[in-house]
Amino acid sequence: MAKKIIKGSSSPLRGEIIPPGDKSISHRALILGSLANGTSIVKDFLISDDTLSTANAMRSLGIPIDINGTHVKVSGNGIHGLRESQKIIDCGNSGTTTRLLTGLLSAQKFMSKLTGDKYLQERPMKRVVGPLSQMGAQIAGEEDGNKLPLTITGAELRGISYKLPVASAQVKSAILLAGMYAQGETEVIEPEASRDHTERMLSYLGVPIEKSGNTIKIHKVDLIEHGEIIVPADLSSAAFFIVAALITPNSEILIKNVGINPLRTGIIDILKSMDGDISIINERDVNGEPIGDIVARSSNLHATEISGALIPKAIDELPLAAVAASFAQGETIIKDAGELRVKETDRISAMASELGKLGVHVEEFEDGMLIRGSESLTGAKCSSWGDHRIAMSIAVAATRANGETEIEDADCVSVSYPGFFEVIDELRQ
Ligand code: S3P
């Protein structure tokens, strides 16, 4: 697997970028577009390994999907228009593909098999298999249905009221997708709000969905309208450059067209609480999702505490928040974040280990970590742990470390951001 060398430098970051499309919204555009009554056009779609896993899955379920650059035509065949895949559906590294499709395929009139790469095969699936089974789904898998591969035998489902034990947009979405086919009402109650892209896109495509506090309700759906879906740039990708600009003297960057859904902006809240100089301008809306342009400038960061309702809003950016904390004055604490242990890799152990190699003092807890800010980091030989967000987080830290950092297995960035390393080079003056 390819290595990447990052040279530490104090050259400022300057310029303007538009990061690639939002990964969560790109997955949903393909899935809901496939179920719509006619052709949907998706613009600014994210081309990455994860979203291509969803595209290939929907194709194997009989839906023509034409990808032309970032412009995608999804020839939806209606809510009952999927057909049995002739092969095992390989979800690659993508938890979102697996969990959302497990919900959707539970309600079809045919059998499906889902598998994934070695990392995905380690991730827990009981969190979707449990509630879906309560709805009447027939799902079998390794370790009593907790691990891939999963075999899903389509069944008649009934609505349930399900209280999520942890905030999870993937679990919520799986239940809502199944709920579109179930008898009666399906209700999901979240302990804290997680990203609501599924709910927003369903509403945008004309599907009635009710939300009151952290409770979401859906009924059997007859029709999903086709439409044009413009995918905002991914804040989770933008965030790497925001932190890089904050920790590099004399930097100022403008990141345009970024999704600023309030259930995704936890990283901005965290960085602002650390005295990060970030402003959002030109706020507007595209197909039911708020977007804006983000200006980030060099800042003197201070430690903070990250916990509670902030965790689901920043879940994918917590490794990066640990990088910001490494350059902040004082000790930052991240807690209530046990979910990090079941992401693409164990992101608590991964960050503790890799930041430790760069000379940062990190203490690991079961549900988080303590990071002591440091005056200077030292380049080292690091690993990505095969996880795209670990690779990019370590790369950002490495831009400000003394000397060179080697990141092993760095090509996993293609899971969410294929051109990531080139953009760092472009912004560095
Ligand atoms: C996602 C939800 C989050 C997030 C993942 C994408 C989604 O996972 O970590 O990268 O698109 O629904 P959980 O819902 O498991 O927290």
Side-chain angles (χ1 to χ4, degrees), residues 23-24 27-28 96 99-100 127 167-171 173 195 315-316 339 343-344 389:
K23 183 154 78 70
S24 293
H27 283 298
R28 286 157 174 81
T96 305
R99 297 203 176 108
L100 270 56
R127 51 180 59 204
S168 164
Q170 292 178 353
V171 179
S173 301
R195 65 190 68 190
I315 190 72
D316 292 338
E339 275 295 288
K343 291 295 176 189
E344 284 82 331
R389 300 210 194 276

Short mmCIF file of all heavy atoms in Angstrom, two decimals, residues 23-24 27-28 96 99-100 127 167-171 173 195 315-316 339 343-344 389, ligand 1:
data_model
loop_
_atom_site.label_atom_id
_atom_site.label_comp_id
_atom_site.label_asym_id
_atom_site.label_seq_id
_atom_site.Cartn_x
_atom_site.Cartn_y
_atom_site.Cartn_z
N LYS A 23 -20.30 13.08 1.47
CA LYS A 23 -20.37 11.62 1.32
C LYS A 23 -21.73 11.10 1.76
O LYS A 23 -22.36 10.31 1.04
CB LYS A 23 -19.24 10.97 2.15
CG LYS A 23 -19.18 9.47 2.02
CD LYS A 23 -17.79 8.95 2.28
CE LYS A 23 -17.41 8.88 3.74
NZ LYS A 23 -18.14 7.83 4.48
N SER A 24 -22.22 11.54 2.91
CA SER A 24 -23.52 11.05 3.40
C SER A 24 -24.63 11.38 2.42
O SER A 24 -25.51 10.55 2.14
CB SER A 24 -23.85 11.70 4.75
OG SER A 24 -22.94 11.28 5.72
N HIS A 27 -24.44 9.22 -0.89
CA HIS A 27 -25.01 7.87 -0.72
C HIS A 27 -26.54 7.92 -0.81
O HIS A 27 -27.17 7.11 -1.49
CB HIS A 27 -24.70 7.32 0.68
CG HIS A 27 -23.31 6.83 0.90
ND1 HIS A 27 -22.78 5.78 0.20
CD2 HIS A 27 -22.36 7.19 1.81
CE1 HIS A 27 -21.55 5.53 0.66
NE2 HIS A 27 -21.28 6.37 1.62
N ARG A 28 -27.10 8.87 -0.07
CA ARG A 28 -28.56 8.95 0.01
C ARG A 28 -29.18 9.34 -1.33
O ARG A 28 -30.28 8.88 -1.67
CB ARG A 28 -28.96 9.93 1.12
CG ARG A 28 -28.72 9.33 2.52
CD ARG A 28 -28.57 10.39 3.58
NE ARG A 28 -28.47 9.85 4.93
CZ ARG A 28 -27.37 9.35 5.49
NH1 ARG A 28 -26.24 9.28 4.81
NH2 ARG A 28 -27.39 8.90 6.74
N THR A 96 -22.02 3.05 5.78
CA THR A 96 -23.29 3.67 5.39
C THR A 96 -23.99 2.82 4.35
O THR A 96 -25.19 2.55 4.45
CB THR A 96 -23.04 5.10 4.86
OG1 THR A 96 -22.30 5.83 5.85
CG2 THR A 96 -24.33 5.82 4.57
N ARG A 99 -25.33 -0.44 6.16
CA ARG A 99 -26.43 -0.33 7.13
C ARG A 99 -27.69 0.19 6.45
O ARG A 99 -28.79 -0.32 6.71
CB ARG A 99 -25.98 0.53 8.30
CG ARG A 99 -24.79 -0.14 9.05
CD ARG A 99 -24.67 0.34 10.47
NE ARG A 99 -23.60 -0.36 11.18
CZ ARG A 99 -22.43 0.21 11.52
NH1 ARG A 99 -22.17 1.47 11.18
NH2 ARG A 99 -21.54 -0.49 12.20
N LEU A 100 -27.57 1.17 5.57
CA LEU A 100 -28.78 1.68 4.89
C LEU A 100 -29.39 0.59 4.00
O LEU A 100 -30.60 0.40 3.98
CB LEU A 100 -28.46 2.94 4.08
CG LEU A 100 -28.63 4.26 4.87
CD1 LEU A 100 -27.81 4.31 6.13
CD2 LEU A 100 -28.35 5.48 4.00
N ARG A 127 -26.60 -3.58 15.61
CA ARG A 127 -27.30 -2.32 15.85
C ARG A 127 -28.40 -2.05 14.81
O ARG A 127 -29.36 -1.36 15.10
CB ARG A 127 -26.32 -1.16 15.93
CG ARG A 127 -25.36 -1.12 14.75
CD ARG A 127 -24.37 0.01 14.81
NE ARG A 127 -23.54 -0.02 15.99
CZ ARG A 127 -22.94 1.06 16.51
NH1 ARG A 127 -23.07 2.23 15.95
NH2 ARG A 127 -22.19 0.95 17.59
N ALA A 167 -26.74 7.55 19.57
CA ALA A 167 -27.11 8.36 18.40
C ALA A 167 -26.40 7.78 17.19
O ALA A 167 -25.17 7.65 17.19
CB ALA A 167 -26.70 9.80 18.62
N SER A 168 -27.16 7.43 16.16
CA SER A 168 -26.55 6.91 14.93
C SER A 168 -27.45 7.19 13.74
O SER A 168 -28.58 6.70 13.68
CB SER A 168 -26.29 5.41 15.04
OG SER A 168 -26.06 4.88 13.75
N ALA A 169 -26.94 7.98 12.81
CA ALA A 169 -27.72 8.30 11.61
C ALA A 169 -27.86 7.07 10.72
O ALA A 169 -28.86 6.92 10.00
CB ALA A 169 -27.02 9.42 10.84
N GLN A 170 -26.88 6.18 10.77
CA GLN A 170 -26.95 4.98 9.93
C GLN A 170 -28.07 4.07 10.42
O GLN A 170 -28.86 3.56 9.63
CB GLN A 170 -25.61 4.24 9.92
CG GLN A 170 -24.53 5.04 9.21
CD GLN A 170 -23.18 4.35 9.23
OE1 GLN A 170 -23.00 3.33 9.88
NE2 GLN A 170 -22.22 4.93 8.53
N VAL A 171 -28.15 3.88 11.74
CA VAL A 171 -29.20 3.02 12.29
C VAL A 171 -30.56 3.67 12.07
O VAL A 171 -31.52 3.04 11.61
CB VAL A 171 -28.93 2.72 13.78
CG1 VAL A 171 -30.04 1.85 14.34
CG2 VAL A 171 -27.58 2.04 13.95
N SER A 173 -31.45 5.76 9.80
CA SER A 173 -31.80 5.72 8.37
C SER A 173 -32.23 4.32 7.94
O SER A 173 -33.16 4.16 7.15
CB SER A 173 -30.62 6.18 7.52
OG SER A 173 -30.25 7.49 7.88
N ARG A 195 -27.04 13.26 12.36
CA ARG A 195 -27.26 13.92 11.06
C ARG A 195 -28.60 13.50 10.46
O ARG A 195 -28.96 12.32 10.51
CB ARG A 195 -26.08 13.64 10.11
CG ARG A 195 -25.93 12.20 9.72
CD ARG A 195 -24.62 11.97 8.99
NE ARG A 195 -23.48 12.14 9.88
CZ ARG A 195 -22.22 12.19 9.51
NH1 ARG A 195 -21.88 12.08 8.24
NH2 ARG A 195 -21.25 12.33 10.39
N ILE A 315 -18.86 13.62 15.02
CA ILE A 315 -18.33 12.27 15.21
C ILE A 315 -17.15 11.94 14.27
O ILE A 315 -16.15 11.41 14.70
CB ILE A 315 -19.46 11.20 15.13
CG1 ILE A 315 -18.96 9.83 15.55
CG2 ILE A 315 -20.13 11.14 13.76
CD1 ILE A 315 -18.71 9.67 17.00
N ASP A 316 -17.26 12.31 12.98
CA ASP A 316 -16.19 11.94 12.05
C ASP A 316 -14.97 12.87 12.16
O ASP A 316 -13.92 12.57 11.60
CB ASP A 316 -16.73 11.96 10.61
CG ASP A 316 -17.73 10.83 10.38
OD1 ASP A 316 -17.70 9.83 11.14
OD2 ASP A 316 -18.56 10.94 9.46
N GLU A 339 -18.24 5.55 20.58
CA GLU A 339 -18.54 5.16 19.19
C GLU A 339 -17.29 5.16 18.29
O GLU A 339 -17.23 4.46 17.29
CB GLU A 339 -19.57 6.12 18.59
CG GLU A 339 -21.00 5.75 18.90
CD GLU A 339 -21.40 4.43 18.26
OE1 GLU A 339 -21.56 4.39 17.05
OE2 GLU A 339 -21.53 3.44 19.01
N LYS A 343 -15.63 2.66 14.51
CA LYS A 343 -15.63 3.28 13.18
C LYS A 343 -14.75 2.44 12.25
O LYS A 343 -14.47 1.29 12.53
CB LYS A 343 -15.15 4.73 13.30
CG LYS A 343 -16.16 5.63 14.02
CD LYS A 343 -17.43 5.76 13.23
CE LYS A 343 -18.49 6.56 13.96
NZ LYS A 343 -19.78 6.51 13.29
N GLU A 344 -14.29 3.00 11.13
CA GLU A 344 -13.51 2.24 10.16
C GLU A 344 -12.36 1.49 10.84
O GLU A 344 -11.93 0.44 10.41
CB GLU A 344 -13.02 3.17 9.05
CG GLU A 344 -14.09 3.57 8.03
CD GLU A 344 -15.00 4.72 8.46
OE1 GLU A 344 -15.24 4.92 9.68
OE2 GLU A 344 -15.50 5.43 7.56
N ARG A 389 -9.86 8.74 7.50
CA ARG A 389 -9.84 9.95 8.34
C ARG A 389 -8.62 9.99 9.26
O ARG A 389 -8.15 11.06 9.63
CB ARG A 389 -11.14 10.09 9.13
CG ARG A 389 -12.35 10.18 8.20
CD ARG A 389 -13.50 10.98 8.76
NE ARG A 389 -14.70 10.73 7.97
CZ ARG A 389 -15.01 11.36 6.84
NH1 ARG A 389 -14.23 12.32 6.36
NH2 ARG A 389 -16.09 11.05 6.16
C1 S3P B 1 -22.95 8.45 8.53
C2 S3P B 1 -23.22 8.42 9.87
C3 S3P B 1 -22.18 8.35 10.91
C4 S3P B 1 -20.81 8.70 10.37
C5 S3P B 1 -20.54 8.05 9.05
C6 S3P B 1 -21.57 8.45 8.01
C7 S3P B 1 -24.08 8.50 7.59
O1 S3P B 1 -22.15 7.05 11.43
O2 S3P B 1 -19.81 8.34 11.29
O3 S3P B 1 -19.26 8.40 8.57
O4 S3P B 1 -23.87 8.84 6.41
O5 S3P B 1 -25.20 8.22 8.02
P1 S3P B 1 -23.13 6.60 12.63
O6 S3P B 1 -24.48 6.87 12.18
O7 S3P B 1 -22.87 5.14 12.82
O8 S3P B 1 -22.71 7.40 13.82
#
